[in-house]
Amino acid sequence: SADEDIKKPRKRNATICGYPLSIFFIIVNEFCERFSYYGMRTVLVLYFKYFLLWDEDFATTIYHTFVALCYLTPILGAIVADSWLGKFKTIVYLSIVYAIGQVVMAVSAISDITDTDKNGTPDNMTFHIALSMLGLILIALGTGGIKPCVSAFGGDQFQDHQEKQRSTFFSIFYLSINAGSLISTLTTPMLRAHKCGQTQQDCYPLAFGVPAALMVVALIVFIIGSPMYTKNPPEGNIMVKFGKCVGFAVKNRFRHRSSQYPKREHWMDWAEEKYDKLLIAQVKMVLKVLFLYIPLPMFWALFDQQVCVYTAPQQMGALTIQPDQMQTVNPILILILVPVMDSVVYPLISKCFNFTPLKRMTVGMFFAALAFVAAALVQIQIDKTLPDFPSSTQGQVKFINMVNSKLEIQADNHKINLGAFEASEDYLTFNNKFFLFLGPKQNHSVTLDNGKNIRLTFNDITSKPEKGANAIRFLNGFGSFLNITVRDEVFNFTSNMSQYLNISQGNAKFIIKDNNGNVCDYTQELGFGSSYTLIIPPTFRFGDACSENITSVMDMEPNSFHMAWQIPQYFLMTSGEVVFSVTGLEFSYSQAPSNMKAVLQAGWLLTVAVGNIIVLIVAEAAKLPDQWAEYILFASLLVLVCIIFAIMGYFYTYIDPAKIEAQFAEMDPEKKEKMKNLEMPRKVQKTDLKIRKKEKKKRCKSYYKYLVKA
């Protein structure tokens, strides 16, 4: 039984340099698990958009739903571990679920499973979507369920005299989290960019498969260390006690809502009929902090949009790295800013005024709002470089003179003079019908086809080419069949105009052949996100100077706004994260009673989940036409919430939970014993009762110092 197990002397585990050998298995496990999670999450939105072919709004919705689920399941994992299975079994069972989920995600990304016609697009998209959703649900259950267990299980491995080593372990543990995150966000996009499959497309199976393999490795490593672990049995969950106490108080207050019953000082006092005053006082302290948590989800609503709502990478130029690799900026800045804030910024500010934790959190929220203002400014600059695409009732026309003489064109109020084999500089926008005048006695009435391309002159591009590619097409005025290829891609012609092909950045060599075997090589340097129509005139002749006869007409300018302009918004957001998140955990730890810190940790994770739900609600309700306007909306909402939080913090009175608990202990010696029994349970196998309880307190403090750092 559990009572008999506690009476047994604690076994001495093998040690290396004073540290239990078992913790090295736990640290490796955590590194692999974090690599697996962040690696998968880094390419998830791109997978939704370019493999499952979802639009950006729906991809964003599913992504935030997934993140919210990942932060709701830790509550379930903590209850299962502390009430039934224990930490070790909970980690093992949920890691198996986690690994299966990652494998399912990797399989779902294999297009060749259903791509029978080998065109690069799965024929049964429903099959891939169903597998993806199943995989994400299993991953959310696994990663969330083990989140509150692994670090606490690591703390259980230390003996009572290893206080210093335990503190160092939590620092190394946190470092392994950041190392896994940093390396995975850097390498997984490279794996995605690798070409694979029958049609040589982005290799999402590899991008998901490597994280799946790392999760399997994490599970195996953790199980291998099983004989060396100290495995404490479950001893009841304080969150359940907290919930029952609050529930009874609410129910009892409702029963006695009549005016004939005397009022009590606090509504939690209605729980006194069933629960002792010490537990009620501890619940009051927790509720006081949870009340301050109410505005916090708005911060996470902005923070978790970095992955999918920050400036679209295909709209920016000079991509020397994969767009999804920009996410590595966040963990790099965290590693830099955490020690800078603790060692330099906070000490300097404290010399001027009292920079309390709640003031720090307010500043962190303000930084996040500034980050979105910076994102809006960047988006406005990007929008200036974008062409004006036609609406559904309009069309865009570019006139190309295929006659070897000058031509005067008048279309409604537009008058254009074109030389031989020249094209108009810009697309002209018309309504469904316009009158065209081509020189003497050549009047034509032309009807537009809702912005679609009509052979030579109409623009059928409605957005920038994806992933920084360049949309290229050929106009064949040569009068006979031509075969044109570039990088093993073949241009398909409809009459004398080819379809657009997306060609990546760099020096593109176009090979032009006729039926007689004549060859002409034409080379053009391509940037990012441009579009060109390459004109082969009737005067074209094969030979050494053949490329000089080809005219390149720019339909859309390449991206000119550098991707590095995203770094300021990442810096502001990461600064806000460091000031807000680290301080928030520190504040929660200092204001929580000794046995209720797990409740506040669960509440903190819940604010992250609610924040992602807010994104879905606001984005769906707002429906703003411009991306920058949506950024400003979220920034404004956070500033409003920031002001509310500052007011709430101004009226908050800081407490010392230890003193309050000590007062109850002084009133009644039995209360003192009960208070200690209510502390976060940890099995400390010592023969002397007082020593066991004293060391139990030390371990709890060391563990939650880690949470403050994290």
Side-chain angles (χ1 to χ4, degrees), residues 203-216:
C203 199
Y204 289 103
L206 183 62
F208 289 139
V210 171
L214 264 291
M215 190 58 226
V216 173

Side-chain angles (χ1 to χ4, degrees), residues 585-653:
L585 286 167
E586 177 187 356
F587 167 77
S588 302
Y589 174 75
S590 66
Q591 298 298 291
S594 56
N595 65 317
M596 295 275 184
K597 299 187 189 295
V599 178
L600 284 182
Q601 184 188 6
W604 182 267
L605 295 174
L606 188 62
T607 63
V608 182
V610 175
N612 281 270
I613 296 172
I614 289 175
V615 175
L616 304 179
I617 296 172
V618 174
E620 189 66 28
K623 293 292 184 183
L624 297 174
D626 297 316
Q627 186 69 68
W628 66 265
E630 186 172 311
Y631 295 149
I632 294 296
L633 172 63
F634 276 101
S636 302
L637 290 174
L638 184 56
V639 169
L640 176 62
V641 169
C642 185
I643 294 171
I644 295 172
F645 182 76
I647 296 172
M648 294 169 64
Y650 178 80
F651 290 101
Y652 181 84
T653 303

Side-chain angles (χ1 to χ4, degrees), residues 522-542:
Y522 174 76
T523 303
Q524 181 167 335
E525 186 69 27
L526 300 177
F528 298 89
S530 65
S531 176
Y532 291 90
T533 297
L534 303 181
I535 304 172
I536 302 176
T539 57
F540 173 79
R541 295 292 181 269
F542 285 95

Side-chain angles (χ1 to χ4, degrees), residues 682-708:
R682 289 181 181 273
K683 189 180 80 171
V684 187
Q685 297 170 347
K686 288 284 181 180
T687 55
D688 186 84
L689 181 62
K690 292 182 179 179
I691 295 177
R692 283 195 298 143
K693 291 177 178 176
K694 182 179 179 181
E695 296 302 330
K696 184 190 296 183
K697 266 189 171 182
K698 284 184 180 180
R699 282 197 306 277
C700 286
K701 287 182 178 179
S702 176
Y703 170 57
Y704 284 103
K705 281 180 183 177
Y706 152 73
L707 290 180
V708 171

Side-chain angles (χ1 to χ4, degrees), residues 65-96:
T65 302
F66 167 70
V67 175
L69 192 59
C70 288
Y71 283 94
L72 285 172
T73 49
I75 299 174
L76 176 63
I79 293 175
V80 170
D82 289 343
S83 301
W84 294 295
L85 296 179
K87 297 184 187 72
F88 176 78
K89 288 184 179 179
T90 301
I91 294 171
V92 170
Y93 294 160
L94 290 181
S95 291
I96 294 173

